[in-house]
């Protein structure tokens, strides 16, 4: 059953309550490998579901446009102070509704429409909001791209420098959504300094690893840091913008009143709770275990003949190129879902197939690590994936159903926050 209890919801709206219960069960019974997902703690769930959702508080602490902020102000202050202490930054804004609006605020703060922005191309592992053509950031700004080398699968910093020198971007984004390797912040900072660009480290995927000391920090290299709070950081859906003192005022103005109205105070409280959790020794151990699990899963997959982009992983994320397995990413992901293993199909760099039917799979270990799984379970997952991908290629549904049963037996041994 869902925890905290949804008893009142069940009597007021059984249709929605039943769907929530079904989703909770689905999360409990599956091996969840979507690299951007996690399980938040019961404390974070409770904070998200409070009466704080009733309150309007446009503005910032001490400078609100509505009365009655006696308890909201200290909540937002706690979230800000915890973010500053955890990441070691001079300034934090915890109001962005999510990662995409946070990045849009960066554009509003430092660019005029038509100005040049540089980011990693989406099919190479970047994010839509780093200037990709279908995003507002690619339509309203002039965007230039960098990628990874075809032979190494890694960012080519010579290319980054060349493009930057030729195109003179005002803002450079580093980071992305499908990057299995460590980001070299000092190298990006050097390039940004050469062209006088603002370097923005988008740490949405790896914020929890950075907080736990399992990935180098961009602090001291990138003056502006954008992050979601719900991926490896294991908080509620939300985002933060962090910066040095010099970049604080334009960022705050861009978030409010530039882009948003009232902050979501129930989310702010839940972010504060997640940041408190992330400052513990347990969380640091968790962050390191995520990376150890990803390494174990990558090794086990490679041993079974899966081609991994860049040959492996340094962080929580693995990108598999299925070309040699004779099946596309989409049918493989769908078959794996039927086998109880949830992940997403993804383009791989230099993909020869279409974005809606690409060659790759993206997977991450943040959620299974929260459940308490370790390297032994990673080897088992790789074995099931191998079996399921073969069964999918052969159209053998019975094998997929059998794996789904074995997966349910395994996950029953690992408690899930949000479920009793
Ligand atoms: C997830 C992500 C975002 C966007 O976050 P949303 O909350 O989905 O809007 C932005 N940048 C990167 C690198 C991400 O991984």
């Amino acid at each position: 059953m869902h925890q905290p209890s949804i008893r009142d919801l069940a009597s007021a709206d059984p249709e929605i309550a039943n769907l929530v219960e079904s989703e909770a069960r689905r999360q409990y019974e599956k091996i969840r490998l979507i690299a951007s997902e996690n399980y938040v703690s019961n404390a974070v769930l409770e904070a998200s579901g409070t009466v704080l959702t009733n309150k309007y508080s446009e503005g910032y602490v001490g400078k609100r446009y509505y009365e009655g902020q006696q308890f909201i102000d200290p909540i937002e202050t706690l979230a800000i102070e915890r973010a500053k202490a955890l990441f070691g930054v001079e300034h934090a804004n915890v109001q962005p509704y999510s990662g995409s609006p946070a990045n849009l605020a960066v554009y509003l703060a430092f660019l005029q429409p038509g100005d040049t922005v540089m980011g990693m191309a989406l099919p190479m592992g970047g994010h839509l909001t780093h200037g990709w053509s279908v995003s507002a950031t690619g339509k309203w700004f002039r965007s230039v791209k960098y990628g990874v080398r075809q032979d190494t699968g890694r960012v080519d910093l010579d290319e980054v420098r060349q493009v930057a020198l030729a195109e003179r971007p005002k803002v450079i984004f580093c980071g992305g959504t499908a990057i299995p390797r460590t980001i070299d912040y000092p190298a990006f900072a050097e390039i940004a300094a050469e062209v006088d660009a603002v370097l923005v480290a988008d740490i949405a995927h790896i914020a929890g690893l950075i907080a736990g000391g399992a990935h180098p920090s961009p602090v001291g290299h990138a003056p502006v840091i954008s992050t979601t709070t719900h991926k490896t950081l294991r908080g509620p859906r939300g985002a933060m913008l962090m910066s040095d003192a010099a970049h604080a005022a334009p960022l705050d103005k861009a978030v409010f009143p530039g882009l948003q109205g009232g902050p979501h105070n129930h989310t702010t409280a839940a972010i504060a709770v997640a940041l408190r959790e992330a400052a513990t020794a347990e969380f640091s151990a968790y962050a390191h275990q995520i990376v150890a699990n990803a390494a174990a899963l990558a090794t086990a997959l490679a041993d079974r003949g899966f081609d991994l982009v860049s040959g492996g992983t340094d962080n929580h994320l693995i990108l598999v190129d299925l070309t040699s397995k004779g099946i596309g990413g989409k049918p493989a992901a769908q078959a794996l879902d039927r086998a109880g293993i949830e992940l997403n199909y993804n383009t791989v760099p230099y993909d020869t197939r279409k974005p809606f039917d690409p060659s790759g799979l993206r997977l991450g270990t943040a959620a299974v690590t929260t459940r308490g799984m370790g390297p032994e379970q990673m080897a088992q997952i790789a074995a099931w994936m191998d079996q399921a991908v073969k069964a999918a290629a052969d159209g053998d549904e019975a094998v997929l159903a059998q794996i789904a049963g074995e997966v349910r037996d395994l996950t029953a041994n690992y408690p899930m926050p949000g479920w009793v």
Side-chain angles (χ1 to χ4, degrees):
M1 267 175 43
H2 191 278
Q3 189 191 18
S5 155
I6 56 167
R7 192 168 19 103
D8 291 337
L9 177 61
S11 60
D13 191 337
E15 259 179 305
I16 289 293
N18 282 334
L19 291 167
V20 172
E21 283 295 352
S22 299
E23 171 62 13
R25 175 175 292 281
R26 192 193 66 78
Q27 291 185 16
Y28 178 66
E29 289 182 344
K30 278 208 167 144
I31 288 172
R32 296 176 58 234
L33 296 175
I34 292 180
S36 50
E37 294 184 354
N38 211 327
Y39 296 94
V40 300
S41 69
N42 289 349
V44 168
L45 281 178
E46 284 180 4
S48 305
T50 56
V51 296
L52 299 179
T53 195
N54 297 338
K55 186 67 194 130
Y56 245 103
S57 53
E58 278 183 6
Y60 289 105
V61 174
K63 290 165 285 187
R64 305 285 190 182
Y65 291 82
Y66 294 81
E67 297 313 313
Q69 310 298 340
Q70 290 84 354
F71 306 106
I72 298 300
D73 273 3
I75 287 170
E76 189 167 326
T77 299
L78 276 170
I80 290 167
E81 293 305 322
R82 287 174 185 177
K84 285 162 66 175
L86 182 65
F87 288 97
V89 288
E90 291 171 343
H91 177 74
N93 184 316
V94 297
Q95 293 193 4
Y97 297 142
S98 213
S100 301
N103 283 350
L104 200 52
V106 169
Y107 288 77
L108 194 58
F110 304 115
L111 298 169
Q112 295 295 320
D115 280 352
T116 302
V117 60
M118 180 163 138
M120 189 182 229
L122 183 72
M124 295 281 180
H127 191 261
L128 282 164
T129 56
H130 298 182
W132 194 243
S133 55
V134 297
S135 152
T137 62
K139 292 186 179 190
W140 295 343
F141 301 88
R142 181 177 164 269
S143 95
V144 295
K145 303 271 153 270
Y146 60 88
V148 296
R149 288 174 59 114
Q150 193 160 12
D151 54 347
T152 61
R154 294 175 188 245
V155 173
D156 183 344
L157 286 157
D158 294 331
E159 183 203 354
V160 176
R161 175 175 275 107
Q162 261 172 27
V163 178
L165 287 170
E167 306 287 352
R168 313 296 300 188
K170 280 194 170 172
V171 165
I172 298 175
F173 277 91
C174 60
T177 62
I179 305 173
R181 294 297 181 177
T182 302
I183 315 268
D184 188 346
Y185 296 120
F188 272 101
E190 208 180 288
I191 294 165
E194 280 177 47
V195 299
D196 203 19
V198 178
L199 178 64
V200 182
D202 185 343
I203 62 169
H205 261 265
I206 54 178
L209 305 184
I210 291 168
H215 185 288
S217 169
V219 176
H221 306 293
V224 176
I225 298 168
S226 170
T227 187
T228 57
T229 47
H230 48 270
K231 297 178 185 174
T232 54
L233 192 56
R234 213 162 63 177
R237 302 308 282 243
M240 304 192 292
L241 286 167
M242 299 181 280
S243 72
D244 59 14
H247 293 78
L251 284 172
D252 281 354
K253 258 175 81 178
V255 173
F256 177 85
L259 271 180
Q260 300 190 169
H264 294 178
N265 295 310
H266 54 303
T267 298
T268 305
I271 289 173
V273 173
L275 291 169
R276 184 187 163 116
E277 291 173 356
T280 60
E282 289 82 0
F283 190 90
S284 176
Y286 165 65
H288 285 91
Q289 191 61 50
I290 293 175
V291 174
N293 281 350
L297 184 52
T299 301
L301 287 169
D303 286 349
R304 291 173 181 278
F306 285 93
D307 291 326
L308 310 185
V309 171
S310 84
T313 178
D314 299 326
N315 53 31
H316 66 303
L317 187 145
I318 298 165
L319 203 52
V320 178
D321 184 345
L322 287 173
T323 306
S324 68
K325 295 282 186 185
I327 185 169
K330 192 173 192 171
Q334 289 170 339
L336 282 160
D337 191 56
R338 295 200 292 282
I341 296 172
E342 183 194 6
L343 40 67
N344 65 280
Y345 61 86
N346 216 95
T347 53
V348 295
Y350 305 96
D351 209 322
T352 51
R353 297 167 68 112
K354 303 246 157 58
F356 281 113
D357 185 21
S359 303
L361 297 174
R362 187 188 70 157
L363 42 152
T365 52
V368 289
T369 306
T370 295
R371 293 285 291 268
M373 294 184 195
E376 212 176 298
Q377 288 70 46
M378 299 306 116
Q380 176 63 68
I381 291 170
W384 280 327
M385 284 181 63
D386 193 18
Q387 257 185 303
V389 165
K390 281 191 188 118
D394 300 343
D396 191 343
E397 285 298 320
V399 168
L400 298 179
Q402 191 200 321
I403 296 170
E406 291 169 14
V407 165
R408 276 195 298 277
D409 290 343
L410 178 83
T411 53
N413 297 322
Y414 295 89
M416 165 189 151
W419 177 264
V420 279

